[in-house]
Amino acid sequence: QVQLVESGGGLVQPGGSLRLSCAASGKIFSINAMGWYRQAPGKQRELVATITYSGGSTNYADSVKGRFTISRDSAKLTVYLQMNSLKPEDTAVYYCNADVLISIWSQTGAWGQGTQVTVAS
């Protein structure tokens, strides 16, 4: 199976920064794309940012454009989310997602366990 492990969440004051990491492991032939989603209490899970693994093409939710940056380390099979100028409304559980090939014939998706980000004074 494919495993995703997030880290880097925590408590930060408004205007502060955090960097989230997501490391992929398991039976992975290649990674097509990875992304970050978040879910706040009482709200549906929403897309935050995605990145294609080969070309590094990125997409961001309008709410985080200019503040968050997604990147990847191909050697470590790891994706990062640099979050700057954090706002209280960014408070949520952040989940890593991966679209991977476990062989040239088989594609699958995976989710991490989530990491809590709390923005409050």
Side-chain angles (χ1 to χ4, degrees):
Q1 69 270 16
V2 178
Q3 302 288 334
L4 302 178
V5 179
E6 302 104 330
S7 63
L11 174 64
V12 64
Q13 293 188 338
S17 298
L18 285 173
R19 190 182 74 158
L20 306 183
S21 299
C22 175
S25 62
K27 188 177 180 180
I28 300 173
F29 178 76
S30 65
I31 299 176
N32 292 327
M34 297 184 73
W36 290 94
Y37 292 72
R38 67 186 182 187
Q39 187 167 22
K43 299 184 68 176
Q44 293 187 325
R45 188 173 298 184
E46 64 176 350
L47 183 147
V48 177
T50 61
I51 186 168
T52 61
Y53 225 72
S54 60
S57 178
T58 59
N59 285 296
Y60 296 92
D62 288 342
S63 60
V64 306
K65 286 181 179 177
R67 300 189 297 120
F68 291 10
T69 302
I70 189 170
S71 60
R72 85 271 193 244
D73 184 326
S74 59
K76 295 182 178 180
L77 301 182
T78 300
V79 66
Y80 305 94
L81 185 67
Q82 179 66 47
M83 305 185 293
N84 299 325
S85 301
L86 283 162
K87 304 174 181 179
E89 51 263 46
D90 295 317
T91 295
V93 177
Y94 283 70
Y95 296 92
C96 181
N97 174 262
D99 174 17
V100 307
L101 296 177
I102 59 176
S103 73
I104 59 173
W105 312 115
S106 300
Q107 182 177 351
T108 192
W111 289 94
Q113 82 286 352
T115 185
Q116 176 72 48
V117 172
T118 302
V119 184
S121 59

